[in-house]
Amino acid sequence: MANSQYEYVKVFEQDPILLPNTWLVVRIDGQSFHRFSSTHEFEKPNDSRSLHLMNRCATYVFDQVNDVCIAYGESDEYSFVLRRDTEYYGRRAYKLASSIGSIFTARYVFHWSEYFPDIPLKYPPSFDSRVVAYPTVKNLRDYLSWRQADCHINNQYNTCFWKLVQSGVTKADAEKRLSGTLSANKNELLFTDFNTNYNDLPAMYRKGSIVVRDYVNEEYMDKATSEMRTRRKMRTVVIHEDLIGDKFWNTRPHILGDKK
Amino acid sequence: MANSQYEYVKVFEQDPILLPNTWLVVRIDGQSFHRFSSTHEFEKPNDSRSLHLMNRCATYVFDQVNDVCIAYGESDEYSFVLRRDTEYYGRRAYKLASSIGSIFTARYVFHWSEYFPDIPLKYPPSFDSRVVAYPTVKNLRDYLSWRQADCHINNQYNTCFWKLVQSGVTKADAEKRLSGTLSANKNELLFTDFNTNYNDLPAMYRKGSIVVRDYVNEEYMDKATSEMRTRRKMRTVVIHEDLIGDKFWNTRPHILGDKK
Amino acid sequence: MANSQYEYVKVFEQDPILLPNTWLVVRIDGQSFHRFSSTHEFEKPNDSRSLHLMNRCATYVFDQVNDVCIAYGESDEYSFVLRRDTEYYGRRAYKLASSIGSIFTARYVFHWSEYFPDIPLKYPPSFDSRVVAYPTVKNLRDYLSWRQADCHINNQYNTCFWKLVQSGVTKADAEKRLSGTLSANKNELLFTDFNTNYNDLPAMYRKGSIVVRDYVNEEYMDKATSEMRTRRKMRTVVIHEDLIGDKFWNTRPHILGDKK
Amino acid sequence: MANSQYEYVKVFEQDPILLPNTWLVVRIDGQSFHRFSSTHEFEKPNDSRSLHLMNRCATYVFDQVNDVCIAYGESDEYSFVLRRDTEYYGRRAYKLASSIGSIFTARYVFHWSEYFPDIPLKYPPSFDSRVVAYPTVKNLRDYLSWRQADCHINNQYNTCFWKLVQSGVTKADAEKRLSGTLSANKNELLFTDFNTNYNDLPAMYRKGSIVVRDYVNEEYMDKATSEMRTRRKMRTVVIHEDLIGDKFWNTRPHILGDKK
C-alpha cells in the first residue's frame, strides 16, 4: 500500500497568500446566535456574562497570536487585527482564518461554565471566520470605526426595543414605534419614557470591547522599604472607549506602530 | 455616528467561490496535537477514546451538513466530502472551511468528558481547516486513498515503535531500528519479536474511520405479533474498512451518486 | 546601485494556478469592435474577410500551442480549449490568458492586409482575454454549445435586421419589427419577404468556425507508378458544423481523448 | 436552439478583483525576444529603433488609459502604473492585464514599419502581461527602482560584453572576462580598453524610459504682437531620468498625487 501513487492529489490544494504589507483582519462571527442565545436564556438587550466570555476568549487569542495588535468585539463577533508586517502562518488565508476561529470557539466552550455557572451548555455554539486585507491605516481605522458604529446603532435600537417590550408593548408594536426614528429620537424616548440617559449605560454595551496592550498602574512592594508603590506596566487590557476619534490612537501610538 | 461613511470598507472583503461541479473536501487538522496528547496522557500508539471522540464530532458534522456524503478520519484529522453539486454556503471557501472547523472544534471540547471521564481537559485543542476542490471521482477517491494509505503507514510504524519502546528499547534506538524498513519487515518484527499479527489489530487503527450513510439491520417489534423482527434501514454509521479498492464503492453506489 | 534592496517586491506578484485536471478555455473578445468594424467598413451582417482573418489567427494559435485540442470562433471572439492534462505555462492563469490574447492580436494586425487588401488598417484592434476552468466534458461541451447557440441567435437576428435595413426600413423600425419574434418567425420573415432560406446561408455564418485536427483526403504522387493517389492525413482544418449534437464528437473521439 | 440550457456555464467564469486602494502595475514582457531580435537584426547591446517603438506603444497606452499615471520601460518590457483609486475595468485582473497587453501588442505590429522601414516584419512578436497590486507608495517606488536598477545592471553588462565581442573576443571569453566583476570594474574596463565613459552613453540605455505627464516649455505665437513666446504646458513626455532618488518624485508631485 504505497502512498506515492496518491500523493499527486496534493497539487489540488491551494492556500492563497494575503497581499504582503497590508493589515489583516480576522473576524469571527457567531453562527445562529439568535437561537443559541435564546436557548441559553441570554439577558436582553445585552448579556454581560456572554460579553465577558467573548472578551476572555479574545484576550486568549490576543496573547497567543503575537502579531495581533488590537482586537475589537461586540455582540457575537470579534475582529483581530494583525500587523501589516506579520508573517504569521506565512499569511496563508485559510490557516489564519480557520486557526483563530477554532481557538476562539474552543475557548468559548471551555470557559462557558465560569461565566454561566447556572446555565449548563445545552449544545456548543460555532463561529465562522474570514480574513480581509486592508492596505492603509485609514482603511483599517475605518473598518474598526464601522464595527463600533454598528455596535452603537444596534445597541441603541435594542435598548429601546427591549425597554418597550419589557414595559408591556408587543414586539410588533415596538418595532413599529422605532421604525424610521433617528438617533436623537431614540435617546429622547429612553429619557422621556424610561428615565434612562443613554450615555449612562455601561460603556461595554455602547462602545463594545477593545483588547490592546496598554500601560496600567500596578502596585508593588518596594523590597528595601516594604512600602507599597505604584509603577506603570504594559499589560493586555480590555477597554470600552471610543476608537472612531483620533484620541484613542494618538495616546497609544504603539498599537499601529512598527513591531520592535 | 452614522455608519454610512465607513461601510465602504466592505469592498475589501473577498470570499472566493470554489469551482462549481467539483467535489469539495474540508479537512480539519489538530494543531500541536503532539503536545495536547501528551498533556492529556493519550495512550500510544493509538488512544481509542480520542478516536471515538473524533468520530463522534465527525458524525455530528456529517448529520448537520446535508451535503457531506462521506467523511474519513485518522489520528487528529478528518476529511469531509461535499457532493459535487453542493451549494452549501454558496460554495464560499472561507465559510465552508471555517464553519466546519468551528463546529468540529466546539463538539470536541463539549464531548470531551464523555470520552475522557478521568482526565480533565487542561486546555482546549484547536483544529485548522482548509477546503480543496477535486474535479473527478478518480481524483476524489485518490485523495481518500491517500489519507487511508497514510493512516496505515503511520500506524504500522507507530505500532512497531511503541512496542519496542514499551519493551525497554530507547526511543532513539527504536527509531534507528525502524529506519529504512519496508512494510513486510515491520510486520515480521511485530510477529517475531512481539507475537503480534498486524492484521489482528483493531481495524479502526489500521484503516481509520469512515462516516457514511449505510444500510444496517435493525431490530424492531412487530406490533401485530409482538415478535422481534429485523429490517434494513439507512443510518449514519462509522465503519473501518478498506476504501482504496473498488469493493467499498461498488457496494455503496449512493455515496458518490447524485443527490436525490 | 545594487538591486537586492528592491527585489523583495517580487513577493507581491501572484499568479494563480488553475485547478489541475480541468479543461481550460481561453476566450479572446474584440474590444470596441462595433466602432472598429464600422471604421473599416465591414459588410453587414457578416464580413467573410474578417471571419477568415479571425480563423487564420486562430489556426496559428492552434498550431502554436500544442495542448489546444479545439477552438471555436464567431464574430469577434474565439475560444481555445486546452486539454485537461495541459501543463502549458504551468496552468498559470495570467500567462495563459495574456499570451494567447497577445499572439492572436499580433497575428490579426500582421495578416490584416492579406484579407483586406483594399482597406488600410486605420488603427489596430485589441482583444481582451480570460481563462476559465471546466471540470467535466459535459460542462465543456455545454460551454461550446452555448457559444454556437449564441452565434446562431445573433446571426439569425442580424440577417433579418440587415435585410430589412437594406430594403429601406429604418434601423429603429427594423428593431421594432424583430422585437419579441421567435426563431421560426424570423425564418418565415426571411423566406416570405426576402426569398431567403436561412439554412442556405453559408455555414460559417450560421455555425461559426471550428478549428480541429481532422482526417482529410490528400492527393499525392505514388513515386513507383507516377500515379496520383489519395491518402488520409491528420491536418489542422477549419470547419463549420454543428457541435451541439453528439455526432460531431462521436466521429472525432481524438479531440477530447487523452494526449498520446 | 435555445441558449438557456447552456448559459449556466457562465458560473464557471471567475474574474478576481484586485484589492481596492492599492497601486496596480500591469507589466508586459516580450516573449522569446531573443529570437525575435536576432531574426530582425537588432543592434547590440541596444537598438534605439526598438526602444523608440516600445516608447511609442507605451505612450499610446498611457494616453488611452486615463488612470495610468506613470509607465516605465526597458528592453522588451514595460510597466504601467494605475492610480490606487482606479476603477478601470472594475479592477478586474484579467481584463486589466489582457487589455493593456493586447493594445500594446497591436500597436507594436502596427507601427513597426515606421521604426524599422528597412526591415520587414517576418513574424509578429507577442507580449505576456500580468497585474500586481502594491499597497504603499514605498512599495510602488521600490518596484520601479527595481526595474530601473535592473536596466542599469543589464545595460552595463551588455555594453561591456558587446564591446569585447565587437573587438574580436569570443562570446565565451567575454563572458568569462566579465564573470564576477563589480560595477566599478566594468566602468574601468570600458574606460581603459574602449575609451568609453559609461555615463556618456545615451540616458535611454542607462536609465530606461519613463512616460509621464510633465510641464514642458512650448513656443506659441502671441496673436496680438505676432511674436513667438514660451508657455508651460502639461504634456505626455518620454524622459530618461533617475527615478530611484527622491528628486524625480519631489519635482513631480502630481504623478502619485490624488486624481483631481
Side-chain angles (χ1 to χ4, degrees):
Chain A
M1 193 159 23
N3 215 348
S4 50
Q5 66 179 301
Y6 304 123
E7 272 177 348
Y8 81 90
V9 298
K10 283 196 255 184
V11 299
F12 292 93
E13 303 201 5
Q14 305 184 322
D15 198 348
I17 304 295
L18 292 152
L19 194 69
N21 200 23
T22 55
W23 299 94
L24 303 184
V25 176
V26 175
R27 183 170 77 239
I28 62 102
D29 259 300
Q31 296 194 295
S32 308
F33 250 63
H34 192 78
R35 178 180 154 235
F36 180 78
S37 62
S38 95
T39 301
H40 293 90
E41 299 160 41
F42 278 24
E43 285 158 19
K44 295 295 182 183
N46 295 285
D47 189 307
S48 69
R49 298 165 298 179
S50 165
L51 296 176
H52 283 124
L53 172 52
M54 293 289 288
N55 293 344
R56 168 74 169 269
C57 302
T59 303
Y60 182 82
V61 170
F62 184 94
D63 286 335
Q64 193 73 5
V65 183
N66 270 323
D67 289 343
V68 174
C69 57
I70 184 171
Y72 176 76
E74 53 146 336
S75 182
D76 59 350
E77 72 167 56
Y78 237 102
S79 298
F80 299 91
V81 180
L82 285 88
R83 295 175 185 291
R84 64 187 310 149
D85 58 359
T86 187
E87 286 300 330
Y88 192 60
Y89 284 129
R91 303 177 74 90
R92 282 182 291 154
Y94 289 139
K95 271 280 192 190
L96 277 166
S98 69
S99 294
I100 288 180
S102 177
I103 296 171
F104 193 96
T105 303
R107 286 282 148 183
Y108 194 97
V109 181
F110 187 64
H111 294 299
W112 171 266
S113 62
E114 300 169 42
Y115 293 84
F116 289 90
D118 304 326
I119 301 182
L121 191 57
K122 295 196 183 65
Y123 67 89
S126 64
F127 298 83
D128 64 39
S129 51
R130 76 197 69 200
V131 57
V132 185
Y134 295 95
T136 65
V137 166
K138 179 179 185 319
N139 295 144
L140 174 66
R141 280 190 49 186
D142 284 349
Y143 170 79
L144 292 167
S145 297
W146 176 48
R147 299 325 299 146
Q148 191 169 62
D150 182 80
C151 172
H152 164 72
I153 290 163
N154 289 337
N155 184 58
Q156 203 185 31
Y157 182 93
N158 291 336
T159 303
C160 293
F161 179 84
W162 288 101
K163 284 279 186 199
L164 288 166
V165 169
Q166 282 149 12
S167 77
V169 177
T170 67
K171 286 182 179 179
D173 283 348
E175 221 171 277
K176 220 175 288 169
R177 172 87 181 271
L178 293 169
S179 159
T181 55
L182 302 176
S183 180
N185 305 138
K186 294 197 195 74
N187 278 352
E188 177 74 15
L189 178 151
L190 286 177
F191 193 70
T192 311
D193 293 18
F194 302 105
N195 199 24
T196 299
N197 190 330
Y198 181 74
N199 290 321
D200 292 343
L201 294 177
M204 181 166 71
Y205 302 166
R206 288 180 296 111
K207 299 294 178 193
S209 297
I210 302 166
V211 186
V212 282
R213 283 180 71 73
D214 206 356
Y215 288 102
V216 294
N217 293 324
E218 217 176 55
E219 296 216 321
Y220 72 104
M221 183 185 290
D222 183 321
K223 286 185 183 163
T225 65
S226 289
E227 277 171 37
M228 294 304 293
R229 291 170 182 276
T230 302
R231 62 183 167 199
R232 281 173 73 64
K233 275 285 196 178
M234 192 63 113
R235 295 282 180 240
T236 300
V237 295
V238 180
I239 57 184
H240 316 285
E241 298 191 10
D242 174 84
L243 55 62
I244 296 178
D246 291 333
K247 193 186 156 205
F248 177 84
W249 304 98
N250 290 344
T251 55
R252 296 171 184 87
H254 60 278
I255 296 179
L256 303 182
D258 288 332
K259 219 165 150 180
K260 321 83 324 209
Chain B
M1 191 158 25
N3 216 348
S4 50
Q5 67 179 301
Y6 305 123
E7 272 177 348
Y8 80 91
V9 297
K10 283 196 256 184
V11 300
F12 292 93
E13 304 202 3
Q14 305 182 323
D15 197 348
I17 304 295
L18 293 152
L19 192 69
N21 198 24
T22 55
W23 299 94
L24 304 183
V25 176
V26 175
R27 181 170 77 241
I28 62 101
D29 259 300
Q31 297 195 293
S32 308
F33 250 64
H34 191 78
R35 180 181 153 235
F36 180 79
S37 63
S38 95
T39 301
H40 292 90
E41 300 161 41
F42 279 23
E43 286 159 18
K44 294 296 180 182
N46 295 285
D47 189 308
S48 69
R49 297 164 301 180
S50 165
L51 295 176
H52 283 123
L53 172 51
M54 292 289 288
N55 293 343
R56 168 73 170 269
C57 302
T59 302
Y60 182 82
V61 170
F62 185 93
D63 285 335
Q64 192 74 5
V65 183
N66 271 323
D67 289 343
V68 174
C69 57
I70 184 170
Y72 176 77
E74 54 147 335
S75 182
D76 59 350
E77 71 168 55
Y78 238 102
S79 298
F80 299 91
V81 179
L82 286 88
R83 295 175 185 289
R84 65 187 311 150
D85 59 359
T86 187
E87 286 300 328
Y88 192 61
Y89 284 129
R91 303 177 74 89
R92 281 183 293 155
Y94 288 139
K95 272 280 191 189
L96 276 167
S98 69
S99 294
I100 288 180
S102 178
I103 295 171
F104 192 96
T105 303
R107 286 282 148 182
Y108 194 97
V109 181
F110 187 65
H111 294 299
W112 171 268
S113 61
E114 301 169 42
Y115 293 84
F116 289 90
D118 305 326
I119 302 182
L121 191 58
K122 296 197 181 64
Y123 67 89
S126 64
F127 298 83
D128 65 38
S129 50
R130 77 197 67 201
V131 57
V132 185
Y134 295 96
T136 64
V137 166
K138 179 180 185 320
N139 295 145
L140 174 66
R141 281 189 48 186
D142 285 350
Y143 170 79
L144 292 168
S145 297
W146 177 49
R147 300 323 301 145
Q148 191 169 63
D150 182 79
C151 172
H152 164 71
I153 290 163
N154 290 337
N155 184 58
Q156 202 186 31
Y157 182 93
N158 292 336
T159 302
C160 293
F161 180 83
W162 288 101
K163 284 279 185 198
L164 288 166
V165 169
Q166 282 149 12
S167 75
V169 177
T170 68
K171 286 183 179 177
D173 284 347
E175 221 171 276
K176 220 175 288 167
R177 171 88 180 271
L178 293 170
S179 159
T181 54
L182 301 177
S183 180
N185 306 138
K186 295 199 195 74
N187 277 354
E188 176 74 15
L189 178 151
L190 286 177
F191 193 70
T192 310
D193 293 17
F194 301 107
N195 199 25
T196 297
N197 190 331
Y198 182 74
N199 290 321
D200 292 342
L201 294 176
M204 181 166 71
Y205 301 165
R206 290 180 293 113
K207 298 295 177 193
S209 298
I210 302 165
V211 187
V212 282
R213 284 180 71 73
D214 206 355
Y215 288 103
V216 293
N217 293 324
E218 219 175 55
E219 296 215 323
Y220 72 103
M221 182 184 291
D222 183 320
K223 286 185 185 161
T225 64
S226 287
E227 277 170 39
M228 293 307 291
R229 291 169 182 276
T230 302
R231 62 183 168 200
R232 280 173 75 62
K233 275 284 195 179
M234 191 64 113
R235 295 282 179 242
T236 301
V237 294
V238 180
I239 57 183
H240 316 285
E241 299 190 11
D242 174 84
L243 56 61
I244 296 178
D246 291 332
K247 192 186 154 203
F248 176 85
W249 303 99
N250 289 344
T251 55
R252 295 173 186 87
H254 61 279
I255 296 179
L256 302 182
D258 286 333
K259 218 166 151 180
K260 317 90 316 212
Chain C
M1 191 160 23
N3 216 348
S4 50
Q5 66 178 299
Y6 305 123
E7 272 178 347
Y8 81 90
V9 297
K10 283 196 255 184
V11 299
F12 292 94
E13 304 201 4
Q14 305 182 323
D15 198 347
I17 304 295
L18 292 153
L19 193 69
N21 199 23
T22 55
W23 299 94
L24 302 184
V25 176
V26 175
R27 182 170 77 240
I28 63 101
D29 259 299
Q31 295 194 295
S32 308
F33 250 63
H34 191 78
R35 180 180 153 236
F36 180 78
S37 62
S38 96
T39 301
H40 293 89
E41 301 160 40
F42 279 23
E43 285 160 18
K44 294 295 182 186
N46 294 286
D47 189 307
S48 69
R49 298 165 299 180
S50 165
L51 295 176
H52 283 123
L53 173 51
M54 293 289 287
N55 293 343
R56 170 72 168 270
C57 302
T59 302
Y60 182 82
V61 170
F62 185 93
D63 285 335
Q64 194 73 4
V65 183
N66 270 324
D67 289 342
V68 174
C69 56
I70 184 170
Y72 176 77
E74 55 146 333
S75 181
D76 59 350
E77 73 167 55
Y78 237 103
S79 298
F80 298 92
V81 180
L82 286 88
R83 294 174 186 291
R84 64 187 310 149
D85 58 359
T86 187
E87 286 300 328
Y88 193 60
Y89 284 130
R91 303 178 74 91
R92 281 183 292 155
Y94 289 139
K95 271 280 191 190
L96 276 166
S98 69
S99 294
I100 288 180
S102 178
I103 295 171
F104 192 97
T105 303
R107 287 282 148 183
Y108 194 98
V109 181
F110 186 65
H111 293 299
W112 170 267
S113 62
E114 300 169 42
Y115 292 84
F116 289 90
D118 305 327
I119 302 182
L121 191 58
K122 296 196 181 64
Y123 68 90
S126 64
F127 299 84
D128 65 38
S129 51
R130 78 197 67 201
V131 56
V132 185
Y134 295 96
T136 64
V137 166
K138 179 179 186 319
N139 295 145
L140 174 66
R141 280 189 49 186
D142 284 349
Y143 170 79
L144 292 167
S145 297
W146 176 47
R147 298 326 299 147
Q148 191 169 62
D150 183 79
C151 172
H152 164 71
I153 290 163
N154 289 337
N155 184 59
Q156 201 185 34
Y157 181 93
N158 291 338
T159 302
C160 293
F161 180 84
W162 287 101
K163 284 280 185 199
L164 288 166
V165 169
Q166 282 150 14
S167 76
V169 177
T170 67
K171 285 184 180 178
D173 284 348
E175 220 172 277
K176 221 175 291 167
R177 172 88 178 269
L178 292 170
S179 158
T181 55
L182 302 176
S183 180
N185 305 138
K186 296 198 195 74
N187 277 353
E188 176 74 15
L189 180 150
L190 286 176
F191 193 71
T192 310
D193 293 18
F194 301 106
N195 200 24
T196 298
N197 189 332
Y198 181 74
N199 290 321
D200 292 343
L201 295 177
M204 181 167 70
Y205 301 166
R206 291 180 293 113
K207 299 293 179 193
S209 296
I210 302 166
V211 187
V212 281
R213 284 179 71 73
D214 206 355
Y215 287 103
V216 294
N217 293 324
E218 218 176 55
E219 296 215 323
Y220 72 103
M221 183 185 290
D222 183 321
K223 286 186 182 160
T225 65
S226 287
E227 277 170 36
M228 294 305 291
R229 291 170 182 275
T230 303
R231 64 185 166 198
R232 280 173 74 63
K233 275 284 196 181
M234 191 64 113
R235 296 281 180 240
T236 301
V237 294
V238 181
I239 57 183
H240 316 284
E241 299 191 11
D242 174 83
L243 56 61
I244 295 178
D246 291 333
K247 192 186 155 205
F248 177 86
W249 305 98
N250 289 344
T251 56
R252 295 171 185 87
H254 60 278
I255 297 178
L256 302 182
D258 286 333
K259 219 167 151 179
K260 7 345 50 172
Chain D
M1 192 159 27
N3 216 348
S4 50
Q5 65 178 302
Y6 305 123
E7 272 177 347
Y8 80 92
V9 297
K10 283 196 255 184
V11 300
F12 292 93
E13 303 202 4
Q14 305 183 322
D15 198 348
I17 304 296
L18 292 152
L19 194 69
N21 199 24
T22 55
W23 300 93
L24 303 184
V25 176
V26 174
R27 182 170 78 239
I28 61 102
D29 259 299
Q31 296 194 294
S32 307
F33 250 64
H34 192 78
R35 179 180 155 236
F36 180 78
S37 63
S38 97
T39 301
H40 293 90
E41 301 160 41
F42 279 23
E43 285 159 20
K44 295 295 181 184
N46 295 286
D47 189 307
S48 70
R49 298 164 299 179
S50 165
L51 295 176
H52 283 123
L53 173 51
M54 292 288 288
N55 293 343
R56 168 74 169 270
C57 301
T59 303
Y60 182 82
V61 170
F62 185 93
D63 286 336
Q64 193 73 5
V65 183
N66 270 325
D67 290 342
V68 174
C69 56
I70 184 171
Y72 176 76
E74 54 147 334
S75 181
D76 59 350
E77 72 167 55
Y78 238 102
S79 299
F80 299 91
V81 180
L82 286 88
R83 293 174 187 291
R84 65 187 309 150
D85 58 359
T86 187
E87 286 299 329
Y88 191 61
Y89 284 130
R91 303 176 75 89
R92 282 182 292 155
Y94 289 138
K95 271 281 190 189
L96 277 166
S98 69
S99 295
I100 289 180
S102 178
I103 295 171
F104 193 97
T105 303
R107 287 281 147 184
Y108 195 97
V109 181
F110 186 65
H111 293 300
W112 171 267
S113 62
E114 300 169 43
Y115 292 84
F116 289 90
D118 304 326
I119 301 182
L121 190 59
K122 295 197 183 63
Y123 67 89
S126 64
F127 298 83
D128 64 39
S129 50
R130 77 197 68 201
V131 57
V132 185
Y134 295 96
T136 65
V137 166
K138 180 181 185 318
N139 295 144
L140 175 66
R141 281 189 49 186
D142 285 349
Y143 170 80
L144 292 167
S145 298
W146 176 48
R147 300 323 301 147
Q148 191 169 62
D150 182 80
C151 172
H152 163 72
I153 290 163
N154 289 337
N155 184 59
Q156 202 185 30
Y157 182 93
N158 291 336
T159 302
C160 292
F161 180 84
W162 288 101
K163 284 279 185 199
L164 288 166
V165 169
Q166 282 150 13
S167 77
V169 177
T170 67
K171 286 183 179 179
D173 283 348
E175 220 171 277
K176 221 174 290 168
R177 172 87 179 270
L178 293 169
S179 158
T181 57
L182 300 176
S183 179
N185 305 138
K186 296 198 194 73
N187 278 353
E188 177 74 15
L189 179 150
L190 286 176
F191 193 71
T192 310
D193 292 18
F194 302 105
N195 200 24
T196 298
N197 189 331
Y198 181 74
N199 291 320
D200 292 343
L201 294 177
M204 181 166 69
Y205 302 166
R206 290 180 294 112
K207 299 293 178 194
S209 297
I210 302 165
V211 186
V212 281
R213 285 180 70 75
D214 206 356
Y215 289 102
V216 294
N217 293 325
E218 219 176 53
E219 296 217 322
Y220 72 103
M221 182 184 291
D222 182 322
K223 287 186 182 158
T225 65
S226 287
E227 277 170 40
M228 292 306 290
R229 291 170 182 275
T230 302
R231 62 183 167 198
R232 281 174 74 63
K233 275 285 195 180
M234 191 63 112
R235 295 281 180 242
T236 301
V237 294
V238 180
I239 57 184
H240 316 285
E241 298 191 11
D242 174 83
L243 56 61
I244 295 178
D246 291 333
K247 193 187 156 203
F248 176 86
W249 305 99
N250 289 344
T251 56
R252 296 171 185 88
H254 60 278
I255 296 178
L256 302 183
D258 288 333
K259 218 167 151 179
K260 313 91 314 205

